[in-house]
Amino acid sequence: MACALAYATSLAVPLWYQLNDQRLLIVTSGSMAPYFDAGDAVVMQNVTNPSQLKPGLVVSFWPLNSEQLVTHRIVALKNIVTTRVIPGTEQMTPVLRPDGSEQTSPHIITKGDANEENDPDATPYTRVRGIVLSVHPKWGWIMQWASSPAGRAVMLVPPLVALATLELLAVADGRRRVKPKPRSTAEERHVDAVLRG
């Protein structure tokens, strides 16, 4: 029962957060220590409006030219001129609005609490995945183990073995039961004679 309950919990907890439009993320580095550390889990709420982003908030985002989600603190907001590459060259040119002014887009400047310097690149608002709402110390290690093949085996194999053993015992017990022998006609006559007296 304990193994089955542990397995059900490992599925139910992340699902509960998803139903509340949140997500549990496992922390894999110490760049935000002491706020959270490797092995912790953070609860992230999706960003629905860029106005939600303010300095001091901890956010999860996709850095430019990277597919690894990073969770760091916003230290500043900045409008950066949008540029494009001039075809056939390596040169960048600003994108202009119809009125001739340079087009800008909002970016966040981020930094890990444990890092001495800001992250190397500003991140566009559009690459921000969510805002960190809370931290659960050591949950990350448990979640990582529970989703691993070894963790699944530990949670699923004992209940399955117990069920198979109970089934085999039931079959064996059914075969061991001896059916009562039918009485012979002589025994039946003797019983009838005794009863009639």
Side-chain angles (χ1 to χ4, degrees):
M1 285 296 290
C3 292
L5 183 61
Y7 180 70
T9 303
S10 74
L11 297 176
V13 169
L15 180 61
W16 185 87
Y17 281 103
Q18 285 181 4
L19 291 174
N20 288 288
D21 198 29
Q22 298 171 353
R23 188 172 166 204
L24 278 174
L25 301 176
I26 298 172
V27 179
T28 58
S29 78
S31 65
M32 281 296 293
Y35 184 56
F36 54 77
D37 213 335
D40 294 346
V42 295
V43 178
M44 184 193 74
Q45 175 82 49
N46 291 336
V47 172
T48 55
N49 189 333
S51 65
Q52 293 174 277
L53 302 177
K54 297 176 175 29
L57 289 178
V58 177
V59 294
S60 295
F61 58 94
W62 304 104
L64 292 172
N65 305 315
S66 174
E67 293 306 315
Q68 183 176 2
L69 197 63
V70 172
T71 303
H72 281 172
R73 192 177 302 280
I74 298 175
V75 294
L77 304 176
K78 187 175 183 181
N79 282 324
I80 296 179
V81 174
T82 306
T83 58
R84 64 180 174 84
V85 177
I86 298 172
T89 70
E90 296 289 322
Q91 295 178 345
M92 303 290 285
T93 183
V95 175
L96 302 177
R97 293 190 178 102
D99 65 0
S101 63
E102 293 178 337
Q103 181 176 322
T104 61
S105 61
H107 285 63
I108 58 171
I109 310 297
T110 54
K111 176 182 174 296
D113 288 359
N115 297 342
E116 292 184 6
E117 297 180 1
N118 293 347
D119 295 333
D121 296 314
T123 303
Y125 277 25
T126 54
R127 294 184 67 88
V128 176
R129 182 71 190 274
I131 298 168
V132 171
L133 300 178
S134 61
V135 179
H136 297 292
K138 308 303 178 201
W139 276 31
W141 296 128
I142 297 166
M143 290 169 54
Q144 205 166 23
W145 176 82
S147 62
S148 71
R152 299 272 185 205
V154 167
M155 290 185 288
L156 290 176
V157 170
L160 294 175
V161 169
L163 285 173
T165 303
L166 289 173
E167 189 63 30
L168 289 172
L169 290 173
V171 169
D173 187 46
R175 289 184 180 172
R176 266 190 257 142
R177 289 185 183 160
V178 180
K179 295 180 182 176
K181 293 180 182 177
R183 292 179 181 170
S184 66
T185 52
E187 287 175 327
E188 287 175 1
R189 285 183 194 149
H190 175 71
V191 171
D192 287 344
V194 169
L195 291 174
R196 287 176 189 166

